[in-house]
Amino acid sequence: MTIPRQNISQVLSYILPYIESHTKSEPPPGETKRPFILALTGLQGSGKSTWTSALVQALNEKHKLRTINLSLDDLYLDHEDLVQLRNDNASNKLLKTRGQPGTHDTALAVSFFDSLTNTTEDTLIPVFDKSKFNGEGARAPRQTWTRIPAGEVMDVVVLEGWCVGFQSLEEQTIQKKWEDAQKNVTKSEYPIVTLGDHKLEHLVQANDSLRHYCDSFMGPRHLDFLVHLDTNDLTNVYQWRIQQEHALREIKNEGMTDEQVVDFVRGYMPAYELYLDHLRDGFFGLDPTVEKGQLRVVLDRERRVVDTVLYK
Ligand SMILES: Nc1ncnc2c1ncn2[C@@H]1O[C@H](COP(=O)(O)OP(=O)(O)OP(=O)(O)O)[C@@H](O)[C@H]1O
C-alpha cells in the first residue's frame, strides 16, 4: 500500500515552513541545535507506518533533508521486563501485553534523543522484534540497529506512535470520565465506550506512565509539529483492522478472526476515550506565540483523506 503522492505533498506543504523556520533558528545559548521533531500519531491501523515511510522518503529525496524515523513500537521494554511487568501487575488488563503507556522504555527514548545532539556519540535507532517469543516480542540485538555516526547531524526525526500526542490528565478527570462511561454503556458490535472494562486505579497507573513519557520525550516541549491521522467515526478503527486481517488471510491464510480483532482494538479504546478530545482541541495549546503546528488529517472508512485542518 502506498499513500497517494498528492496526499504526502499536501501534508508536507503545511510542515515545510515550520522546518524552514527551525533551520533558521538559533539554539538556546550553550546548547547544540536539535533536529526538527516531527511527530505522527494516529488510531490503530490508520496507516502510521505507511505514512511515516512516505514522509521520510519525500523529505530525504525530494526535499534533501536528512531524515530518520523512530517508532514508539521500537521502544518497548525488553521481553523479560515485559514479563516482569505483567507478573507484578497480574490483575491489570492494560499490562497483559505490550502497547499501553508503562510498557515502553523511557530511558531508551531519552538516550536516543540525547544522542542526536551529542557530537561525540553515534546515534543508534532501536529496533524491537515483534516476532520473538511467539509474538510477545523482544528487543533486537544492538548490532542490528541502524547507526548514525557521531557528528552526522539529522535535519528531521519523525517520531511515530499511537499514543504520541496524548497528554496525561488530572486524576479527578479520569475518575469523572470513568464514572460517566459506566452510565453510558450501550451494547454495540464495535464498542467505543469501554473505560468500565478497567479498574480506575489501572487507568490512573497508565496515566502516570503517560505523564512520565510526556515529561521525558513526548510532551509539547519536545516536539515541533504533530500530524494526527484521525477519523470522524471511531468505529472505523475496528473496520480498518478487520480489513487488514481479511487481507492477511487471503495472502497467508492466517490472521485474527473478527471477534479477536474486536477484543484487540477494544484494548486501545480506553486511551482514545481519555485522551483524544484534548488532542483534537490542540496538542500545543492555542498560544499564538508558540511556533509549533498541528495538522489533523481526517480519514474515511477506506482511509482516504477527506479533510485536513491546520491548528496554528
Ligand atoms: N491509505 C490507506 N488505504 C488503504 N490501506 C492502507 C492505507 N494506509 C495503510 N494501509 C494498510 O493498512 C494496514 C495498516 O497500516 P500501517 O501498518 O501503516 O498502520 P499503523 O497505524 O502503523 O498500524 P498499527 O496501529 O497496527 O501499528 C497495512 O496493511 C497498510 O498496507
Tab-separated table of all heavy atoms in Angstrom, residues 1 3 43-51 73 130 160 241 244 302-303, ligand 1:
chain	number	residue	atom	x	y	z
A	1	MET	N	0.842	-1.214	0.000
A	1	MET	CA	0.000	0.000	0.000
A	1	MET	C	0.872	1.257	0.000
A	1	MET	O	1.796	1.367	0.792
A	1	MET	CB	-0.885	-0.048	1.262
A	1	MET	CG	-1.604	1.252	1.556
A	1	MET	SD	-2.796	1.611	0.240
A	1	MET	CE	-2.790	3.375	0.211
A	3	ILE	N	0.696	5.572	0.031
A	3	ILE	CA	-0.181	6.737	0.221
A	3	ILE	C	-0.079	7.582	-1.053
A	3	ILE	O	1.034	7.819	-1.544
A	3	ILE	CB	0.296	7.572	1.439
A	3	ILE	CG1	0.420	6.702	2.702
A	3	ILE	CG2	-0.598	8.782	1.675
A	3	ILE	CD1	-0.860	6.121	3.231
A	43	LEU	N	-4.776	6.586	14.995
A	43	LEU	CA	-5.502	5.468	15.574
A	43	LEU	C	-4.891	4.159	15.097
A	43	LEU	O	-4.166	4.128	14.093
A	43	LEU	CB	-6.963	5.572	15.127
A	43	LEU	CG	-7.638	6.886	15.566
A	43	LEU	CD1	-8.816	7.232	14.670
A	43	LEU	CD2	-8.075	6.784	17.013
A	44	GLN	N	-5.210	3.081	15.800
A	44	GLN	CA	-4.758	1.740	15.407
A	44	GLN	C	-5.060	1.480	13.936
A	44	GLN	O	-6.207	1.640	13.509
A	44	GLN	CB	-5.537	0.696	16.215
A	44	GLN	CG	-4.869	0.254	17.466
A	44	GLN	CD	-3.539	-0.371	17.172
A	44	GLN	OE1	-3.400	-1.201	16.300
A	44	GLN	NE2	-2.537	0.061	17.907
A	45	GLY	N	-4.042	1.092	13.186
A	45	GLY	CA	-4.255	0.702	11.797
A	45	GLY	C	-4.604	1.845	10.854
A	45	GLY	O	-5.006	1.623	9.716
A	46	SER	N	-4.436	3.096	11.321
A	46	SER	CA	-4.792	4.236	10.456
A	46	SER	C	-3.772	4.418	9.334
A	46	SER	O	-4.044	5.120	8.359
A	46	SER	CB	-4.892	5.518	11.290
A	46	SER	OG	-3.693	5.719	12.013
A	47	GLY	N	-2.604	3.806	9.492
A	47	GLY	CA	-1.579	3.910	8.448
A	47	GLY	C	-0.340	4.682	8.894
A	47	GLY	O	0.390	5.205	8.053
A	48	LYS	N	-0.092	4.708	10.206
A	48	LYS	CA	1.048	5.489	10.723
A	48	LYS	C	2.367	5.071	10.077
A	48	LYS	O	3.134	5.914	9.621
A	48	LYS	CB	1.166	5.320	12.246
A	48	LYS	CG	0.008	5.908	13.019
A	48	LYS	CD	0.174	5.698	14.507
A	48	LYS	CE	0.086	4.259	14.958
A	48	LYS	NZ	-1.207	3.601	14.708
A	49	SER	N	2.631	3.748	10.044
A	49	SER	CA	3.924	3.303	9.499
A	49	SER	C	4.000	3.620	8.015
A	49	SER	O	5.042	4.036	7.511
A	49	SER	CB	4.116	1.795	9.641
A	49	SER	OG	3.645	1.355	10.847
A	50	THR	N	2.887	3.440	7.315
A	50	THR	CA	2.873	3.681	5.865
A	50	THR	C	3.100	5.171	5.575
A	50	THR	O	3.903	5.538	4.718
A	50	THR	CB	1.529	3.200	5.275
A	50	THR	OG1	1.232	1.912	5.813
A	50	THR	CG2	1.574	3.110	3.783
A	51	TRP	N	2.409	6.023	6.316
A	51	TRP	CA	2.604	7.472	6.157
A	51	TRP	C	4.033	7.872	6.528
A	51	TRP	O	4.653	8.692	5.853
A	51	TRP	CB	1.621	8.247	7.056
A	51	TRP	CG	0.271	8.464	6.438
A	51	TRP	CD1	-0.766	7.585	6.416
A	51	TRP	CD2	-0.191	9.642	5.760
A	51	TRP	NE1	-1.840	8.135	5.767
A	51	TRP	CE2	-1.527	9.394	5.358
A	51	TRP	CE3	0.380	10.875	5.458
A	51	TRP	CZ2	-2.293	10.339	4.672
A	51	TRP	CZ3	-0.377	11.814	4.772
A	51	TRP	CH2	-1.696	11.549	4.376
A	73	ASP	N	6.842	1.807	18.808
A	73	ASP	CA	6.839	0.338	18.861
A	73	ASP	C	8.250	-0.232	19.023
A	73	ASP	O	8.402	-1.397	19.389
A	73	ASP	CB	6.256	-0.259	17.572
A	73	ASP	CG	4.744	-0.142	17.513
A	73	ASP	OD1	4.161	0.393	18.458
A	73	ASP	OD2	4.164	-0.583	16.509
A	130	LYS	N	8.998	-7.939	16.916
A	130	LYS	CA	7.687	-8.401	17.405
A	130	LYS	C	7.494	-9.908	17.221
A	130	LYS	O	6.559	-10.481	17.775
A	130	LYS	CB	6.562	-7.661	16.671
A	130	LYS	CG	6.490	-6.187	17.021
A	130	LYS	CD	5.358	-5.510	16.262
A	130	LYS	CE	5.300	-4.039	16.603
A	130	LYS	NZ	4.353	-3.287	15.785
A	160	GLU	N	6.929	8.319	15.539
A	160	GLU	CA	5.586	7.822	15.203
A	160	GLU	C	5.090	6.877	16.290
A	160	GLU	O	5.844	6.041	16.789
A	160	GLU	CB	5.687	7.101	13.847
A	160	GLU	CG	4.501	6.281	13.446
A	160	GLU	CD	4.712	4.795	13.661
A	160	GLU	OE1	5.765	4.252	13.276
A	160	GLU	OE2	3.805	4.174	14.243
A	241	ARG	N	-8.944	-2.593	10.973
A	241	ARG	CA	-8.190	-3.774	11.391
A	241	ARG	C	-8.817	-5.049	10.833
A	241	ARG	O	-8.108	-5.976	10.467
A	241	ARG	CB	-8.124	-3.812	12.936
A	241	ARG	CG	-7.136	-4.809	13.450
A	241	ARG	CD	-5.729	-4.445	12.975
A	241	ARG	NE	-4.807	-5.525	13.203
A	241	ARG	CZ	-3.650	-5.384	13.857
A	241	ARG	NH1	-3.253	-4.208	14.291
A	241	ARG	NH2	-2.871	-6.414	14.034
A	244	GLN	N	-7.660	-5.343	7.346
A	244	GLN	CA	-6.244	-5.758	7.315
A	244	GLN	C	-6.104	-7.270	7.557
A	244	GLN	O	-5.346	-7.946	6.874
A	244	GLN	CB	-5.516	-4.972	8.409
A	244	GLN	CG	-4.027	-5.049	8.387
A	244	GLN	CD	-3.441	-4.245	9.563
A	244	GLN	OE1	-4.031	-3.274	10.031
A	244	GLN	NE2	-2.295	-4.654	10.050
A	302	GLU	N	-12.351	4.038	4.152
A	302	GLU	CA	-11.376	3.451	3.212
A	302	GLU	C	-9.999	4.082	3.382
A	302	GLU	O	-9.132	3.902	2.536
A	302	GLU	CB	-11.856	3.622	1.763
A	302	GLU	CG	-13.232	3.049	1.475
A	302	GLU	CD	-13.406	1.621	1.975
A	302	GLU	OE1	-12.465	0.826	1.842
A	302	GLU	OE2	-14.475	1.320	2.549
A	303	ARG	N	-9.838	4.849	4.436
A	303	ARG	CA	-8.588	5.556	4.757
A	303	ARG	C	-8.201	6.590	3.705
A	303	ARG	O	-7.044	6.912	3.525
A	303	ARG	CB	-7.439	4.577	5.003
A	303	ARG	CG	-7.486	4.037	6.416
A	303	ARG	CD	-6.451	2.990	6.643
A	303	ARG	NE	-6.901	1.730	6.103
A	303	ARG	CZ	-6.471	0.544	6.499
A	303	ARG	NH1	-5.575	0.477	7.434
A	303	ARG	NH2	-6.922	-0.561	5.971
B	1	LIG	N1	-4.440	4.855	2.994
B	1	LIG	C1	-4.559	3.535	3.098
B	1	LIG	N2	-5.504	2.892	2.410
B	1	LIG	C2	-5.653	1.561	2.496
B	1	LIG	N3	-4.868	0.767	3.261
B	1	LIG	C3	-3.906	1.344	3.969
B	1	LIG	C4	-3.704	2.756	3.941
B	1	LIG	N4	-2.684	3.053	4.765
B	1	LIG	C5	-2.278	1.882	5.288
B	1	LIG	N5	-2.981	0.861	4.792
B	1	LIG	C6	-2.838	-0.558	5.129
B	1	LIG	O1	-3.351	-0.709	6.442
B	1	LIG	C7	-2.538	-1.592	7.218
B	1	LIG	C8	-2.029	-0.865	8.448
B	1	LIG	O2	-1.126	0.142	8.020
B	1	LIG	P1	0.057	0.613	8.960
B	1	LIG	O3	0.812	-0.553	9.490
B	1	LIG	O4	0.810	1.665	8.218
B	1	LIG	O5	-0.800	1.276	10.116
B	1	LIG	P2	-0.365	1.614	11.601
B	1	LIG	O6	-1.245	2.749	12.005
B	1	LIG	O7	1.104	1.822	11.663
B	1	LIG	O8	-0.784	0.270	12.302
B	1	LIG	P3	-0.624	-0.160	13.817
B	1	LIG	O9	-1.504	0.753	14.583
B	1	LIG	O10	-1.113	-1.580	13.803
B	1	LIG	O11	0.821	-0.013	14.163
B	1	LIG	C9	-1.443	-2.073	6.293
B	1	LIG	O12	-1.862	-3.290	5.763
B	1	LIG	C10	-1.380	-0.992	5.223
B	1	LIG	O13	-0.911	-1.509	3.995
